[in-house]
Amino acid sequence: MQNLNRNDLRQRLTESGFKATHQRIVVLEAVTELHGHHPTAEEVYQKLNPANPTISLGTVYKTLDTFAEAELIKRVLTEEGGKRYDTCTTTHSHIYCSNTREIIDFEDPELENLLRDFFSKKQVNNFEIKSFAVQLTGKKVEPDKQISIK
Amino acid sequence: MQNLNRNDLRQRLTESGFKATHQRIVVLEAVTELHGHHPTAEEVYQKLNPANPTISLGTVYKTLDTFAEAELIKRVLTEEGGKRYDTCTTTHSHIYCSNTREIIDFEDPELENLLRDFFSKKQVNNFEIKSFAVQLTGKKVEPDKQISIK
DNA sequence: TTTACTGCAAAATGTTTGCATAAGG
DNA sequence: CCTTATGCAAACATTTTGCAGTAAA
């Protein structure tokens, strides 16, 4: 879990050139708290709404979009349409469960090194690779004992 | 490019347990012809509309969804919201260009073998992995000389 | 002939926009 | 203060749904 101290959040906003408004602090806080859940704008809104009932859904949409554009957070790949967000963390992969439609983080340093090596050697035609991720699709086989989310 | 012979398309539909209606044949044909373009439902509709003006957009939506569910085609990962489709082909990766927002196919047998090996050895917790893909994000560096799309 | 599919139009969902007001630097 | 962000509501885009009619097997 990342830092949830509001002063630090404020600082991260300022460093990225944003006005540190209450709304932005709270949105960034909510996404951070939901890290690993790959929330939609609506879910971020639900998360922060109880404590911040005056912050509008529209602002959450705008703010998430602005943050993603500035790479303060990132958009998560999905095959379902609809935008999902997550905090930027270390490189990791996602497992998509076609049963439950969950997106589950899968961190594996060995895999990351393997890929980092591969792409450092291999030049991809005319592309400056900024990041990579492996997307696994599959099905849970033991519904109870599962990879822990967050 | 895959086979565009209508009898073959008809057969593939029948084999998947579908009634081989004209609409389905034409939708499957259009997606196949657009392979590598990762079209939206709207784009598939635009493709087939001139020759088939009576086929409705709603049918295209339903048909693509049905096909994806039956894994006759697949949904493509995107960070933009909105569903995109493609024919099922061999395992391959995608490069997403954050400038042009294109999704470009990247086939590399070496990379595929590397990953196939990795996942055959490695057991992923409680998951039956059905497929994997690498998603690269980056930027084109030479706008003119690019990876050819289809 | 029977069942499943299609077209249509309406509804639901998800996201963006414009503008007057409010707040941060 | 001046600029930029917010709230609100309306607009827009995308996708789904229900149902009567139609076509495939």
Side-chain angles (χ1 to χ4, degrees):
Chain A
M1 176 58 65
Q2 292 182 33
N3 198 335
L4 295 178
N5 180 297
R6 293 220 172 156
N7 280 330
D8 290 353
L9 294 172
R10 177 185 299 276
Q11 193 184 336
R12 283 175 56 204
L13 288 168
T14 307
E15 280 167 1
S16 297
F18 291 117
K19 278 191 186 176
T21 64
H22 177 64
Q23 289 86 337
R24 284 179 175 161
I25 291 167
V26 166
V27 167
L28 189 53
E29 182 180 57
V31 183
T32 306
E33 284 173 1
L34 291 170
H35 171 58
H37 288 248
H38 315 103
T40 60
E42 179 69 35
E43 286 162 350
V44 171
Y45 175 74
Q46 294 302 338
K47 173 83 181 174
L48 59 77
N49 181 264
N52 307 273
T54 64
I55 296 181
S56 74
L57 179 57
T59 295
V60 174
Y61 269 102
K62 278 184 213 170
T63 305
L64 289 172
D65 192 54
T66 307
F67 286 176
E69 226 52 59
E71 297 180 50
L72 200 58
I73 63 176
K74 65 184 174 194
R75 295 202 186 90
V76 178
L77 291 165
T78 163
E79 26 182 274
E80 321 219 274
K83 295 184 178 175
R84 296 184 163 275
Y85 297 88
D86 202 0
T87 47
C88 294
T89 50
T90 50
T91 299
H92 66 273
S93 297
H94 287 140
I95 310 178
Y96 172 72
C97 180
S98 52
N99 280 344
T100 66
R101 324 222 136 188
E102 281 169 287
I103 300 167
I104 298 165
D105 284 340
F106 173 61
E107 296 191 41
D108 188 318
E110 202 185 323
L111 176 58
E112 281 150 38
N113 290 333
L114 199 71
L115 288 169
R116 207 182 318 280
D117 270 21
F118 181 87
F119 288 112
S120 67
K121 281 176 208 147
K122 193 119 194 173
Q123 188 54 39
V124 179
N125 324 22
N126 308 315
F127 252 85
E128 182 192 308
I129 298 299
K130 255 175 47 195
S131 69
F132 56 82
V134 179
Q135 184 83 13
L136 301 164
T137 301
K139 288 179 183 174
K140 275 188 193 169
V141 284
E142 288 174 46
D144 35 334
K145 267 287 184 207
Q146 64 175 258
I147 294 168
S148 76
I149 303 176
K150 160 152 152 289
Chain B
M1 176 57 65
Q2 293 181 31
N3 197 333
L4 296 179
N5 180 296
R6 293 218 172 157
N7 279 330
D8 290 352
L9 294 171
R10 178 185 297 277
Q11 191 183 338
R12 282 174 57 203
L13 288 168
T14 307
E15 279 166 3
S16 296
F18 292 118
K19 278 192 184 173
T21 65
H22 176 63
Q23 289 85 337
R24 282 178 176 162
I25 291 168
V26 167
V27 168
L28 189 52
E29 183 181 56
V31 184
T32 306
E33 285 174 0
L34 292 169
H35 171 59
H37 288 248
H38 315 105
T40 61
E42 179 68 34
E43 285 162 350
V44 171
Y45 174 75
Q46 295 301 339
K47 174 83 181 175
L48 59 77
N49 181 265
N52 307 272
T54 64
I55 297 181
S56 75
L57 179 57
T59 295
V60 174
Y61 269 102
K62 279 184 214 171
T63 304
L64 289 171
D65 191 54
T66 307
F67 286 176
E69 227 51 59
E71 298 181 48
L72 198 59
I73 63 175
K74 65 184 176 197
R75 294 201 187 90
V76 178
L77 291 164
T78 165
E79 27 182 272
E80 320 220 275
K83 295 184 179 174
R84 296 184 163 274
Y85 297 89
D86 202 0
T87 47
C88 294
T89 50
T90 50
T91 299
H92 66 273
S93 296
H94 287 140
I95 311 177
Y96 172 72
C97 179
S98 54
N99 280 343
T100 65
R101 325 218 136 192
E102 279 168 286
I103 301 167
I104 297 165
D105 285 340
F106 173 61
E107 296 191 43
D108 188 320
E110 202 185 323
L111 175 59
E112 282 150 37
N113 289 332
L114 198 71
L115 289 168
R116 207 182 318 280
D117 270 19
F118 182 88
F119 288 113
S120 67
K121 282 176 207 147
K122 193 121 194 171
Q123 188 54 40
V124 179
N125 324 24
N126 308 313
F127 253 84
E128 181 192 309
I129 298 299
K130 258 175 42 195
S131 69
F132 56 80
V134 179
Q135 185 84 13
L136 301 164
T137 302
K139 287 180 184 173
K140 277 188 193 168
V141 284
E142 289 174 45
D144 35 334
K145 267 284 183 210
Q146 63 176 258
I147 294 168
S148 78
I149 302 174
K150 158 149 150 284

